[in-house]
Amino acid sequence: MPNKLISAAAAAELVRDGDWVTTSGFVGIGVPEELLSALEARFLDTGCPKGLNLFFAAGQGDGKERGLNRLGHEGLLARVIGGHWGLIPKVAKLATDGLIEGWNLPQGVISHLYRDIAAGKPGTLTRVGLGTFVDPRLQGGRINDMTPEGQVQVMEIGGQEHLFYAARPLNVALLRGTTADPAGNISMEREALVIDNLAQAMAVKNSGGVVIVQVERMVARHGLNPRDVVIPGALVDAVVLSAPENHHQTFATPYSHAFSGQFRVEADEAAAMPLTARKIIARRAAFELPINGVVNLGIGMPEGVAAVAAEERLLSHLTLTAEPGVIGGQPASGLDFGAAVNTDAIVPQGAQFDFYDGGGLDIAVLGMAEVDATGNVNVSRFGPKLAGAGGFINISQNARAVVFAGTFTSVGLDLAVDHGGLDIRSEGRVRKFVDGVEQVTFSGALAAKAGKKVLYVTERAVFQLKSDGLHLIEVAPGIDLQRDVLDLMGFVPVMGEVAQMDPRLFVDAPMDLAVDLMHLDLDDRLALSPDRKQLFLNFEKMRVRAQADIDKVRAKVEALCAPLGHRVDVIANYDGARIDEEVEDDWIAMVKAMEDRYYDTVTRYSGSAFMRLKLGDAFAREVRAHVFETAAEARAFLTAAREAGLG
């Protein structure tokens, strides 16, 4: 068996004009910088190879010169299919200027295409992308007018619409690992991620192409534990030993034992975030976090949610994930994004998107740049600026719940938190809530039809997507609804009873959010009177979001009432309470079960006319149910009922 070690320059010579080339990497993790540098140098010296076709999933760059930016030369590329373009502005400019053909497809779809190409399948069939700019009835993922149609097709399978993404043979894979033996077996023990390396190698090998892998060290033939080998030597044609400066673990960190999972580290006791718009938004988003749930946090504004969860001592009750394959732990940010410390597992990117696409995420918190009246969100294209969708479409379309987070306006926004409310000193020049988004990265209509829970959280207002469009449901204290919200929108949201955002969001102190989310205060909320004939249920400002919340209340009521041997009168305070629509029927069923077993006369009260209406409708068939505006009215009715012998 030959020694597969060659120089980077020799590896670059293996790439021919017009080849379809695929590269590994996520931001700066796993990027074969030595190989990309050699390919760029060859082109600048000789003008070859030319007319290459680039096929990649995640963004691979630093926003300046490194990563795929090295291929951003006119003539070097002819066409590009990629997931995220924001970190490769040199390549993106070629596409937006119409100098190359370009497609922006969902990152998870491209990740799955590697496997389907390897398996000899015609392409990837999925519902991911329906209703977005990737749908051929909109733009088909095409970045410019010179890009031909046909990369994506609509198909109906089993009475449901799907999108079919065509596969294509790949000629060259430029990949990266940690250690190689002369036979080309590759391990990745010092890498922060494994990404799609194995699937890419298989796809290229089965296409009759050339697989080249950059590593940082060599061992003797068969010197690797087979359990550590990620890419078998049978798939590898050439190995290149990289210079250290071209093999940093991320574009921000040369090497961290914590990122590679070699050691666990003590969680940083980071200073609390300052009370800015960013923190207010992160705090409000954190109110939606599902205890013991699986969460994806996007880059940018959503990253603050992890910091708030840490401040509120909630991280141990969540499983944070990132799309390149991180499960558990605490995600890194900036040019370390994609890495994490203290993880539970690092899985291949394609497997992570299997989990995401199948509905494995309980919630995703993502950014937003433009929102319209139907709930559509754009984060991918703004005139000549091409950010790309990345994993946004996979994640937002398939998570069970989504929170879009961002400031209400941008560019020049200056505000302060003053006396528990917002003081807007200077309004942002760019409006985010517009008449129509430039590009649909998230389909509000599709989400509303599916009954998905979707919130849009800003520092001054919170909106919820419903079947008839975007509803304004909360506003911040200290703002003028007309001047600071409605006048700055390109449409009029649906408005019913608009609540005030939780005052704790605007106070520079811990919110005790764990008490709310885990209902740690139930013992204080449910109590019997001294004569054990009345049960007081204080649901004031309580949030019921899941069946587990209902089960906790049921268990507490049963613990109090079952030993009594007689029925009790009930006074229930629903002032400021919120019962999510998804569990309303389950809540009502639980309450009626308790009434049948333990309750006599039941009175409920709430200061909210909307809540009184909901309660009245929900319990309309219960002759013993009564709903009042105040506690005094509820108590007076109960006293009168008992005196009249109606109890």
Side-chain angles (χ1 to χ4, degrees):
M1 186 175 292
N3 187 331
K4 296 182 179 180
L5 181 65
I6 64 174
S7 69
E13 293 287 341
L14 297 175
V15 183
R16 301 167 298 179
D17 294 352
D19 273 347
W20 276 93
V21 179
T22 184
T23 59
S24 67
F26 184 94
V27 187
I29 300 169
V31 177
E33 192 74 1
E34 183 86 3
L35 301 179
L36 293 171
S37 298
L39 190 59
E40 179 186 37
R42 181 189 167 203
F43 176 79
L44 295 177
D45 288 344
T46 68
C48 292
K50 57 182 179 293
L52 296 181
N53 305 288
L54 180 62
F55 191 83
F56 69 92
Q60 300 159 34
D62 62 355
K64 298 175 183 177
E65 304 292 334
R66 291 184 286 182
L68 294 180
N69 289 295
R70 296 188 179 280
L71 306 186
H73 300 286
E74 190 173 348
L76 176 55
L77 296 174
R79 56 191 57 82
V80 177
I81 298 175
H84 190 275
W85 294 67
L87 294 170
I88 52 171
K90 289 190 173 183
V91 177
K93 191 173 190 307
L94 293 176
T96 55
D97 287 352
L99 299 175
I100 61 172
E101 296 174 5
W103 291 264
N104 179 201
L105 303 183
Q107 181 176 322
V109 169
I110 296 176
S111 180
H112 288 159
L113 270 168
Y114 292 136
R115 299 189 318 201
D116 290 338
I117 294 169
K121 297 179 181 179
T124 297
L125 188 68
T126 175
R127 291 179 56 80
V128 172
L130 284 169
T132 73
F133 74 91
V134 178
D135 193 314
R137 292 165 293 193
L138 297 180
Q139 295 159 275
R142 297 162 60 244
I143 292 172
N144 55 38
D145 291 337
M146 72 175 288
T147 301
E149 298 178 354
Q151 180 64 39
V152 187
Q153 302 172 47
V154 179
M155 292 186 175
E156 186 171 306
I157 308 292
Q160 281 194 322
E161 287 186 341
H162 293 72
L163 294 183
F164 177 74
Y165 298 81
R168 61 183 61 252
L170 300 173
N171 308 116
V172 179
L174 303 179
L175 309 177
R176 176 175 137 165
T178 298
T179 309
D181 69 6
N185 295 300
I186 308 294
S187 65
M188 300 184 67
E189 66 273 13
R190 284 170 59 89
E191 302 296 319
L193 299 167
V194 296
I195 329 179
D196 292 315
N197 280 273
L198 177 59
Q200 287 174 284
M202 287 182 171
V204 171
K205 197 66 176 177
N206 283 352
S207 298
V210 177
V211 177
I212 308 167
V213 185
Q214 165 186 326
V215 297
E216 63 177 291
R217 60 192 183 187
M218 299 289 298
V219 297
R221 189 179 300 273
H222 305 307
L224 293 172
N225 184 329
R227 292 294 185 99
D228 295 334
V229 172
V230 176
I231 310 175
L235 303 179
V236 177
D237 296 286
V239 175
V240 172
L241 188 61
S242 176
E245 63 270 19
N246 286 332
H247 205 95
H248 287 176
Q249 192 178 41
T250 78
F251 279 154
T253 303
Y255 181 73
S256 165
H257 290 289
F259 286 167
S260 62
Q262 297 296 312
F263 303 111
R264 299 186 75 82
V265 296
E266 291 292 336
D268 290 335
E269 290 293 335
M273 293 173 64
L275 191 56
T276 61
R278 179 185 178 91
K279 184 169 186 177
I280 292 168
I281 294 165
R283 280 180 152 186
R284 179 59 187 84
F287 271 78
E288 305 302 317
L289 292 174
I291 296 302
N292 298 323
V294 182
V295 181
N296 175 277
L297 301 178
I299 197 168
M301 189 69 71
E303 293 179 78
V305 177
V308 168
E311 288 180 30
E312 299 289 337
R313 301 293 189 264
L314 285 170
L315 280 181
S316 61
H317 301 285
L318 304 169
T319 299
L320 301 182
T321 67
E323 57 266 33
V326 170
I327 298 176
Q330 188 160 0
S333 60
L335 289 178
D336 284 329
F337 184 65
V341 300
N342 300 338
T343 59
D344 296 327
I346 304 292
V347 302
Q349 181 169 249
Q352 187 82 305
F353 277 112
D354 286 335
F355 180 67
Y356 283 5
D357 290 354
L361 283 172
D362 292 295
I363 192 170
V365 184
L366 305 169
M368 60 182 181
E370 288 183 330
V371 180
D372 67 21
T374 63
N376 292 329
V377 176
N378 174 27
V379 297
S380 48
R381 182 73 183 264
F382 315 95
K385 184 178 180 181
L386 176 62
F392 187 96
I393 295 176
N394 297 83
I395 295 166
S396 63
Q397 184 175 327
N398 294 303
R400 296 172 190 170
V402 184
V403 175
F404 295 110
T407 54
F408 191 75
T409 62
S410 63
V411 186
L413 175 64
D414 181 22
L415 54 81
V417 181
D418 185 32
H419 302 297
L422 281 185
D423 176 19
I424 301 173
R425 298 167 176 171
S426 175
E427 194 57 78
R429 298 189 296 277
V430 175
R431 299 184 181 186
K432 292 188 175 182
F433 290 82
V434 297
D435 181 51
V437 298
E438 181 176 348
Q439 190 169 75
V440 179
T441 329
F442 170 81
S443 172
L446 200 69
K449 183 178 179 180
K452 183 195 295 286
K453 182 174 182 181
V454 184
L455 293 184
Y456 306 76
V457 173
T458 77
E459 79 287 351
R460 71 186 75 174
V462 180
F463 301 85
Q464 184 171 0
L465 179 64
K466 297 189 178 181
S467 59
D468 56 347
L470 219 60
H471 285 236
L472 175 61
I473 60 172
E474 299 175 22
V475 294
I479 63 133
D480 183 284
L481 175 59
Q482 188 66 44
R483 180 194 66 211
D484 298 328
V485 177
L486 300 179
D487 288 349
L488 300 175
M489 298 180 68
F491 59 90
V492 179
V494 181
M495 287 186 290
E497 187 172 56
V498 181
Q500 187 181 82
M501 294 172 71
D502 195 303
R504 290 175 292 174
L505 300 173
F506 306 93
V507 177
D508 198 7
M511 298 186 297
D512 292 329
L513 188 55
V515 173
D516 288 33
L517 298 188
M518 293 189 282
H519 300 301
L520 300 178
D521 57 349
L522 270 184
D523 285 344
D524 298 325
R525 287 182 175 273
L526 282 67
L528 288 166
S529 62
D531 62 5
R532 305 173 75 79
K533 293 182 179 180
Q534 292 182 342
L535 175 65
F536 300 98
L537 306 177
N538 180 16
F539 299 136
E540 182 176 0
K541 295 183 179 179
M542 182 171 165
R543 173 84 179 276
V544 180
R545 305 185 303 167
Q547 183 64 48
D549 300 335
I550 298 171
D551 293 342
K552 288 180 180 178
V553 174
R554 178 200 299 269
K556 183 61 179 175
V557 169
E558 289 178 335
L560 289 171
C561 296
L564 296 178
H566 61 79
R567 290 180 175 271
V568 294
D569 294 328
V570 175
I571 297 179
N573 174 9
Y574 280 89
D575 211 16
R578 288 180 57 190
I579 303 171
D580 285 7
E581 291 181 359
E582 296 83 358
V583 294
E584 276 185 359
D585 291 344
D586 296 319
W587 175 264
I588 293 166
M590 180 275 291
V591 170
K592 288 184 176 179
M594 296 300 97
E595 288 182 350
D596 290 344
R597 295 176 62 185
Y598 303 120
Y599 299 170
D600 200 342
T601 301
V602 180
T603 59
R604 303 174 175 90
Y605 68 92
S606 172
S608 163
F610 180 67
M611 178 58 78
R612 290 199 302 276
L613 179 63
K614 289 187 72 173
L615 291 172
D617 288 343
F619 299 106
R621 288 170 291 177
E622 275 294 326
V623 296
R624 296 193 300 271
H626 305 274
V627 184
F628 299 96
E629 184 173 0
T630 67
E633 291 175 354
R635 289 178 184 275
F637 173 84
L638 186 59
T639 299
R642 295 182 70 182
E643 290 175 351
L646 299 179

